[in-house]
Amino acid sequence: MAESAFDPAGIWRAFARAVQPDVEYWLAQLDAPEQAQSQRLMALLAANRETTFGRQYGFASIASPDQFRERVPMQGAAGYLPWLERASRDAQPVLSAQAPLFFERTSGSTSRQKLIPYTPAFLREMQSAMVVWLADMVRVCPGIAQGRAYWSMSPALQPAGVAPNGIRIGSASDLEYLGGSSAAALAATLLVPPFSGNPATWRYETLRAIIADESLALLSVWSPTFLGSLLRPLFTPEDPSCACELAALEADLPGPRAAALRRALADGHCERLWPRLTAISCWLDGPSHGYAQALRARFPQAQWLPKGLFATEGVVSIPFGEAPDCTLAVGSHYLEFLRDDGHICDVSALAPGDEAQVLMTTGAGLYRYALGDRIRVTGMTARTPRVTFLGRAAASCDLVGEKLDESIVNEALAPARARGATACLVPFQQADAPHYVLLLAGVEEHAVQALRIEAEQRLGHIFHYAHARQLGQLGPLRSRRIPGAQAALGDLLQRAAERTGMRAGDVKPSGLVTRLALAEAMLEMTEA
């Protein structure tokens, strides 16, 4: 499309008109979530009753959600792994009647990576939530239609592959998620950086492309750590490696954009670099909150929009309306909720203030799958709950029997975060005495020791941690300060994750690093 003919506002208007029936259907489901959920479940069971899984658990004779709960066990990621491995190995339908178009790797930020089957039915479930989210975003923030948008489409830093049954591993690009949906028309508004195929240069290529485009109106990424890491040269120009990158950018950019870059560096923020930038969409709650807050001052002209709880395994909630929390995607998958007392309920039993873990049944062939994400109900949209993401319930670390999980660690890190720092705990398994290292950014050197002591005292209230310390099995908590502002820790996390082969856009902030390869990379990078 020639630049003179480029009409992003017209493309967005046409999209909004096309998806209006989808939005109206979504609104109707919010008024009757129990009915919408029951219909979704029974349709999934009917479609997949002749699969290996469906025959084993008698899908053909299940007549209600209650029977489904009675007959099909809830399973976490580890328990479900043999089924997923079988689905990637066998030619016959194992989990879904539809053959997957491709398998997508889970992020692997906390545990062993899994291959999730992306079937046509599952993509439609994801797209049904996505088009409503996009339509509502342009309604809430119409300025995003006045220019180009950058959506996080980071290259996979793991090699593409083929499963044993011949099905491709990995999407060809993030745009494959939109194929066949009304949102595919918005691809014409996207700023798509050229990618040479070299993982070592994709970050520079992406940064150059977005700086070169003055019309940038929307930045849509998953994690704020990805955005902070991508734009790091703009925020830390005094760093020698960033100074070199900035010099290369100035030489590589057209004159007016190089001048805009110099003005942005002098200002300390990005308003004059992207005058049309209206909104930034990313995770804003849970462990991402501190990293997003650290970036806000760099974009005084932009509205920050929540992302909702999207995972490789499915979508739990999407932003809808002006509220800072997100509405459960009751029309996409069948959702259940595991309370702290072990009771499992459906969407109709949730009330404001409730906290629970999410279970999903999806067109990908996941049935009563414990996602590992923990949510709190914050309000209602019509009769459907709105939720905020609290963290990973399943994220745990156990070097010598200390049994730490993310909720425990977040409590121990609360004093550091109250002082405006970003913080996380990293296991050091290879030390003579295994121990944890407290990484801190955005805090002065003189405060590090006091914050370490306070975190250790709070961890000492946990029986298994205190017992391991008393026996000498676990060494004392150590600390390392990451120079720079709060975002410096997010940049470290991002780069270490990429070094271990994670897809750049999939990196998720966490108070507790449980993936040992990631922990080793972070400690190695901070050793000096």
Side-chain angles (χ1 to χ4, degrees):
M1 181 182 295
E3 193 64 34
S4 59
F6 179 54
D7 179 20
I11 294 170
W12 276 97
R13 282 196 300 271
F15 163 74
R17 287 194 299 269
V19 302
Q20 187 56 34
D22 299 277
V23 174
E24 291 173 359
Y25 184 56
W26 163 267
L27 290 169
Q29 291 176 315
L30 298 186
D31 279 327
E34 188 174 9
Q35 179 182 352
Q37 284 279 276
S38 179
Q39 290 175 347
R40 182 89 288 272
L41 173 63
M42 300 315 294
L44 285 169
L45 298 180
N48 297 298
R49 61 186 181 184
E50 296 303 321
T51 62
T52 305
F53 193 100
R55 289 195 300 272
Q56 178 166 325
Y57 290 105
F59 280 9
S61 60
I62 293 178
S64 69
D66 286 340
Q67 285 187 350
F68 177 64
R69 274 191 281 277
E70 291 169 3
R71 297 189 190 180
V72 180
M74 174 192 76
Q75 295 190 76
Y80 217 80
L81 187 59
W83 282 106
L84 293 172
E85 290 178 339
R86 189 171 175 182
S88 69
R89 186 179 65 245
D90 294 359
Q92 70 268 25
V94 175
L95 292 170
S96 60
Q98 293 181 335
L101 299 172
F102 56 91
F103 290 101
E104 194 67 277
R105 298 179 179 94
T106 58
S107 67
S109 56
T110 58
S111 61
R112 181 177 170 184
Q113 287 190 326
K114 300 168 288 296
L115 296 179
I116 304 300
Y118 270 58
T119 64
F122 180 61
L123 280 172
R124 287 194 297 271
E125 291 173 350
M126 298 281 275
Q127 290 165 355
S128 69
M130 196 176 299
V131 297
V132 172
W133 161 53
L134 290 169
D136 194 63
M137 181 165 59
V138 75
R139 180 191 66 81
V140 169
C141 201
I144 66 173
Q146 301 306 310
R148 291 200 180 274
Y150 169 72
W151 295 357
S152 171
M153 284 177 264
S154 56
L157 301 182
Q158 294 174 323
V162 177
N165 58 9
I167 296 173
R168 173 166 46 97
I169 298 174
S171 57
S173 83
D174 288 8
L175 291 177
E176 194 165 0
Y177 287 83
L178 305 181
S181 76
S182 303
L186 296 178
T189 70
L190 297 186
L191 189 164
V192 182
F195 180 46
S196 64
N198 182 357
T201 60
W202 76 264
R203 195 185 304 271
Y204 176 85
E205 292 163 347
T206 302
L207 183 57
R208 185 204 177 280
I210 62 175
I211 291 177
D213 198 322
E214 184 183 13
S215 74
L216 186 69
L218 169 66
L219 277 169
S220 179
V221 300
W222 293 113
S223 173
T225 65
F226 173 83
L227 183 60
S229 180
L230 180 65
L231 302 182
R232 180 171 173 257
L234 305 184
F235 306 149
T236 56
E238 69 284 352
D239 181 276
S241 64
C242 292
C244 290
E245 194 163 342
L246 288 169
L249 284 167
E250 279 204 51
D252 209 8
L253 288 165
R257 297 309 295 156
L261 174 59
R262 288 191 293 270
R263 288 195 297 270
L265 293 172
D267 292 342
H269 58 73
C270 298
E271 185 168 13
R272 289 200 286 179
L273 186 60
W274 294 302
R276 295 194 210 175
L277 183 61
T278 304
I280 297 173
S281 171
C282 69
W283 292 321
L284 299 178
D285 49 10
S288 294
H289 177 75
Y291 297 106
Q293 286 294 104
L295 287 174
R296 282 180 184 265
R298 304 288 188 174
F299 301 92
Q301 78 279 33
Q303 183 175 349
W304 287 71
L305 304 175
K307 198 66 159 190
L309 182 46
F310 276 81
T312 307
E313 297 91 337
V315 54
V316 176
S317 65
I318 66 167
F320 192 77
E322 288 78 8
D325 43 21
C326 298
T327 304
L328 287 176
V330 293
S332 290
H333 317 306
Y334 181 68
L335 303 175
E336 298 171 88
F337 304 91
L338 173 62
R339 300 179 188 271
D340 291 343
D341 62 4
H343 177 69
I344 295 175
C345 68
D346 61 17
V347 66
S348 65
L350 290 179
D354 287 350
E355 294 184 5
Q357 297 181 44
V358 180
L359 311 182
M360 307 183 83
T361 296
T362 79
L366 303 181
Y367 304 99
R368 309 201 72 215
Y369 178 89
L371 185 60
D373 287 338
R374 187 173 174 80
I375 54 94
R376 176 187 296 127
V377 180
T378 50
M380 307 292 283
T381 300
R383 294 180 54 216
T384 298
R386 295 196 311 272
V387 301
T388 189
F389 173 62
L390 296 178
R392 293 283 297 169
S396 61
C397 196
D398 192 13
L399 298 177
V400 295
E402 72 282 4
K403 302 182 188 302
L404 292 186
D405 62 36
E406 190 167 340
S407 62
I408 291 171
V409 169
N410 284 336
E411 174 63 24
L413 300 181
R417 290 171 174 167
R419 294 192 53 162
T422 50
C424 70
L425 225 58
V426 180
F428 194 173
Q429 185 184 39
Q430 305 303 323
D432 291 338
H435 60 269
Y436 288 84
V437 179
L438 171 63
L439 298 184
L440 293 161
V443 65
E444 296 299 324
E445 184 70 52
H446 64 80
V448 170
Q449 182 71 354
L451 292 174
R452 182 196 64 78
I453 292 171
E454 188 159 8
E456 178 83 307
Q457 289 173 342
R458 290 186 172 220
L459 291 172
H461 295 149
I462 308 305
F463 172 79
H464 292 290
Y465 183 91
H467 188 59
R469 289 282 292 110
Q470 290 165 1
L471 294 177
Q473 293 176 306
L474 194 68
L477 180 66
R478 311 290 176 84
S479 59
R480 297 182 187 179
R481 176 178 173 269
I482 312 302
Q486 297 99 316
L489 180 54
D491 181 63
L492 169 69
L493 170 66
Q494 188 75 34
R495 290 174 180 268
E498 292 170 26
R499 179 183 289 190
T500 66
M502 285 180 62
R503 190 180 176 101
D506 290 345
V507 180
K508 300 172 183 176
S510 173
L512 174 64
V513 175
T514 60
R515 184 169 169 248
L516 294 180
L518 176 58
E520 289 173 11
M522 294 179 74
L523 293 174
E524 181 182 334
M525 293 169 69
T526 60
E527 192 168 9

